[in-house]
């Protein structure tokens, strides 16, 4: 039988009772119809998983007791960073979901010359929070215990400056960039 997994954004210690988010509690109790005493696996994105037992299923507060740490699936040894141009609608959600499922270590959203999405500070904060939830859900589905790092959106020139500053740590042989094959500007431009 497949173990039900859930993301809880707090530090977990064996023996501790943790409050589940309303969304996770609703999914476990109303959708999956789990009851008090049922087992779940929880993770918080730090690379570890914890076996837990549902202890309290009150309407406003659902609790689970951490029973112990379990061995998570191994993470990819590759440290891949996906630099993705901002997409409209649900396309960005799909890209983040698939990148997470495929084992990306980090994701860098980019505002490019042809990006149609424009984010002011408030909208950017809401989108990044939403994208973090998409990533956590993808980890729940794929069995990952480590959440990929999600950087704040940057413009392409600012990202390239950051890469240049990290040049001693970045092996040029390991970098791959995919740009517009029909574009008329060079990377140097």
């Amino acid at each position: 039988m497949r173990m039900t997994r859930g993301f809880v954004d707090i530090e977990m210690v064996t023996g501790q009772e943790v409050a589940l988010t309303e969304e996770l509690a609703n999914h476990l109790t109303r959708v999956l119809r789990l009851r008090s005493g049922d087992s779940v696996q929880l993770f918080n994105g730090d690379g570890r998983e914890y076996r837990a037992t549902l202890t309290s299923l009150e309407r406003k507060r659902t609790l689970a007791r951490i029973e112990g740490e379990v061995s998570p699936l191994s993470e990819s040894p590759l440290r891949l960073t996906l630099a993705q141009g901002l997409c409209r609608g649900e396309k960005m959600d799909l890209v983040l979901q698939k990148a997470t499922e495929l084992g990306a270590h980090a994701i860098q959203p980019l505002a490019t010359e042809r990006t149609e999405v424009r984010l002011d500070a408030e909208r950017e904060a809401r989108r990044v929070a939403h994208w973090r939830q998409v990533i956590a859900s993808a980890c729940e589905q794929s069995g990952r215990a480590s959440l990929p790092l999600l950087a704040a959106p940057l413009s392409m020139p600012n990202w390239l400056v950051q890469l240049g500053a990290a040049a001693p740590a970045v092996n040029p042989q390991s970098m791959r960039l995919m740009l517009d094959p029909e574009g008329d500007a060079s990377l140097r431009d």
Side-chain angles (χ1 to χ4, degrees):
M1 184 174 154
R2 185 167 185 238
M3 180 60 69
T4 302
R5 301 178 74 242
F7 175 72
V8 181
D9 193 15
I10 59 170
E11 189 171 335
M12 292 185 252
V13 177
T14 300
Q16 168 189 20
E17 276 200 336
V18 296
L20 304 181
T21 63
E22 187 175 327
E23 183 179 351
L24 177 58
N26 183 56
H27 180 71
L28 295 176
T29 60
R30 294 197 188 343
V31 177
L32 298 178
R33 298 181 185 201
L34 297 182
R35 302 193 185 291
S36 185
D38 286 344
S39 294
V40 295
Q41 274 185 215
L42 302 176
F43 68 101
N44 60 5
D46 67 358
R48 296 179 290 190
E49 290 194 27
Y50 301 86
R51 187 179 61 260
T53 303
L54 298 177
T55 57
S56 173
L57 305 178
E58 297 173 14
R59 184 165 174 81
K60 294 285 186 188
R61 187 170 154 107
T62 300
L63 300 175
R65 184 179 55 253
I66 307 300
E67 303 294 345
E69 193 172 326
V70 295
S71 297
L73 297 173
S74 62
E75 286 287 321
S76 171
L78 303 174
R79 312 260 309 163
L80 300 174
T81 298
L82 172 66
Q84 171 65 42
L86 293 170
C87 306
R88 283 194 296 167
E90 295 179 6
K91 290 178 186 174
M92 191 69 177
D93 292 359
L94 182 63
V95 168
L96 294 172
Q97 178 187 24
K98 297 307 174 191
T100 299
E101 291 171 355
L102 290 170
H105 171 73
I107 302 167
Q108 174 62 68
L110 294 175
T112 65
E113 182 179 315
R114 295 196 174 131
T115 297
E116 295 177 4
V117 177
R118 301 289 175 229
L119 301 175
D120 59 25
E122 181 182 329
R123 187 163 180 238
E124 179 181 310
R126 284 196 320 265
R127 295 307 305 161
V128 168
H130 170 76
W131 293 337
R132 287 188 201 287
Q133 182 57 47
V134 168
I135 288 170
S137 294
C139 285
E140 288 175 1
Q141 292 295 319
S142 65
R144 286 188 71 178
S146 297
L147 271 63
L149 304 171
L150 177 63
L154 287 176
S155 68
M156 178 71 109
N158 287 344
W159 178 65
L160 291 172
V161 167
Q162 272 190 358
L163 280 180
V170 175
N171 177 357
Q173 301 297 325
S174 70
M175 286 188 59
R176 301 289 183 262
L177 296 176
M178 187 166 96
L179 304 171
D180 183 357
E182 297 174 12
D184 55 3
S186 70
L187 185 57
R188 186 175 317 247
D189 294 339

